[in-house]
Amino acid sequence: MPKVTFTCALQRFLPVASSQVEGATIADALAEVFAENPLLRGYVLDDQGALRRHVVVYVKGGAAVGRVKLADPVAASDEVFVFQALSGG
Amino acid sequence: MVERLLVGTRKGLFELARHNGHWDIAEAHFLGDPVSSVYEGNDGTALAALDLGHFGAKLWRREKGVDWREVPAPLFPAKPEDAKDDPHPWSLGKIWVIEDGGIDGRLWAGTMPGGLFRSDDNGESWALIETLWRMPERLKWMGVAGGEQPGINSVLIDPRNPADIRVGVSTAGLWASTDEGASWSLINEGMYNEYMPPDLSGDPISQDIHRLARCAAHPETMWCQHHNGVFHSQDAGAHWQEVTAIKPSKFGFAVAAHPHDSKTAWFVPAVKDERRIPCDGKVVVSRTRDGGESFEILNKGLPQRHAYDLVWRHALTVDESGDVLAFGSTSGGLWISEDGGDSWTMPEARLPPIAVVRFAA
């Protein structure tokens, strides 16, 4: 199962912890985390479900390409990192 | 007399208290985070809107005597296929203003990109007023304030009738509903602007309402600090007359209306839009007590040499008595008057840039 890890910068606002989730895409993996932690969704995604402008997701050694549908595939051995982007200051 | 003042800044929310005639910071909340709006109701329930650079707009709620707790922020519905030509995002940019709805538990929130939201449970949950959001004219709303998004900066409820609502938009004029938001019309006749081609200068939807204020005891009296000057209405915003006596300049963002005296209002003028600094480096408040026929410059206790403080839309307020005022600036200046603006004192603090000030009971 892929592992999802969030920037520690979020800890100031709400509890977040790394977790092992099901899911074959970034969207699926994140959806499972958000089901357990609904307020976290709004920190990562905008109202339409796209990645926030100044949030970045890394998987397989690179930034996720699909920022709207988050359809980049993830494998069971992957770790998904959700970080704040430097573009946000 | 009011005893507390909430000050929302670029780096946190500061809560001032009055002790022995002096105002001082009693508590600081959300240190490091931009606060875009703050509200506290008569029951002591407070709301603080954060505008987080990376993580979006957030809303925190505090019941009297209890710690702050995050609640779901207003959320836009899924953008339909037929809205592809909408120039504005269907996603919350920031919460710009929160106002009491005049009914137990009811609050209104004005936002960027121009969504008006209503809560009927004292801020626990919010619903978009889709009737306004889906007006075809909304596609013509223009972005402001260094961003691409239009914003609702003022929500005025008629104290006699909570179904009667006036909404001020930068930039889309003044919208009115008399049926709790079920239907809307654009009503600001008489305003004009100097930033559009001449044939569009009076176009109601292109009027940049910086801020609206209304006299609580005489709600038909309204004041507007517009991008191009000061306007006055005596029929609840349907018709406006320019107030040309305003001095030292007609540009500014903030306005406060006296809660009882319909002829008294306060403004904080600045050099007009290209520069946005106080005239001659002097921070002053401009007060009328005769319905805009004349103005007094109030400067006692305010910096009068090389001061470059700009006062944003929500950073001037008056209490329910009309005697106590406060305003805060982009340079972190904060001044309080307890004599209707005749004299001002500054609490001992060097604050971050101030977005909003609001008295609390």
Side-chain angles (χ1 to χ4, degrees), chain B residues 8-244:
Chain B
T9 79
R10 181 76 178 76
K11 294 287 180 183
L13 173 65
F14 299 89
E15 200 164 354
L16 282 81
R18 187 177 189 273
H19 290 300
N20 300 324
H22 296 284
W23 290 87
D24 198 6
I25 295 175
E27 290 186 74
H29 314 279
F30 311 108
L31 276 178
D33 298 323
V35 176
S36 61
S37 188
V38 65
Y39 165 85
E40 185 170 309
N42 290 333
D43 68 350
T45 300
L47 291 166
L50 307 186
D51 180 22
L52 303 179
H54 292 91
F55 304 119
K58 305 293 172 232
L59 189 61
W60 289 69
R61 186 170 180 274
R62 179 183 70 181
E63 291 180 17
K64 194 168 187 174
V66 182
D67 205 2
W68 293 96
R69 172 176 60 86
E70 188 176 358
V71 294
L75 186 74
F76 283 84
K79 186 176 181 179
E81 280 295 311
D82 64 5
K84 279 187 176 159
D85 60 346
D86 192 332
H88 308 304
W90 286 50
S91 192
L92 183 61
K94 77 171 167 187
I95 300 168
W96 221 8
V97 66
I98 302 170
E99 296 290 358
D100 194 297
I103 294 174
D104 263 2
R106 176 166 296 176
L107 301 172
W108 295 92
T111 72
M112 288 182 178
L116 177 67
F117 290 82
R118 192 176 93 191
S119 172
D120 284 316
D121 54 12
N122 225 354
E124 278 287 333
S125 64
W126 297 85
L128 176 67
I129 302 302
E130 299 217 16
T131 46
L132 183 59
W133 182 250
R134 292 181 187 276
M135 294 285 286
E137 294 92 333
R138 190 185 54 77
L139 302 186
K140 295 182 185 174
W141 292 18
M142 293 185 285
V144 289
E148 305 85 26
Q149 302 184 2
I152 294 176
N153 57 58
S154 304
V155 182
L156 302 180
I157 306 300
D158 188 330
R160 302 163 300 189
N161 176 15
D164 191 300
I165 307 159
R166 302 288 181 272
V167 170
V169 191
S170 295
T171 293
L174 196 165
W175 292 77
S177 172
T178 56
D179 52 14
E180 287 193 303
S183 62
W184 295 88
S185 56
L186 184 59
I187 62 165
N188 47 302
E189 194 178 317
M191 292 183 183
Y192 73 95
N193 66 56
E194 296 165 342
Y195 48 78
M196 299 285 280
D199 58 331
L200 292 174
S201 75
D203 184 20
I205 205 167
S206 66
Q207 304 309 315
D208 185 0
I209 309 281
H210 280 183
R211 183 70 166 145
L212 294 171
R214 106 191 283 174
C215 176
H218 304 280
E220 66 281 0
T221 297
M222 289 187 180
W223 300 89
C224 174
Q225 176 64 67
H226 180 287
H227 192 100
N228 279 123
V230 171
F231 292 86
H232 183 221
S233 171
Q234 297 187 79
D235 58 7
H239 300 88
W240 294 84
Q241 294 79 42
E242 186 177 13
V243 176
T244 56

Side-chain angles (χ1 to χ4, degrees), chain A residues 69-83:
Chain A
K69 295 188 174 175
L70 299 165
D72 291 26
V74 292
S77 57
D78 283 339
E79 184 161 6
V80 177
F81 294 96
V82 180
F83 284 2

Side-chain angles (χ1 to χ4, degrees), chain A residues 3-4 7-8 10-14 18 21 23 25-26 31 34-35 38 51 65 69 71-72 74 76-77 86:
Chain A
K3 181 181 180 186
V4 182
T7 171
C8 59
L10 285 165
Q11 294 285 0
R12 204 151 59 83
F13 305 106
L14 71 178
S18 296
V21 296
T25 65
I26 291 173
F34 298 152
L51 205 57
V65 176
K69 295 188 174 175
D72 291 26
V74 292
S77 57
L86 286 173

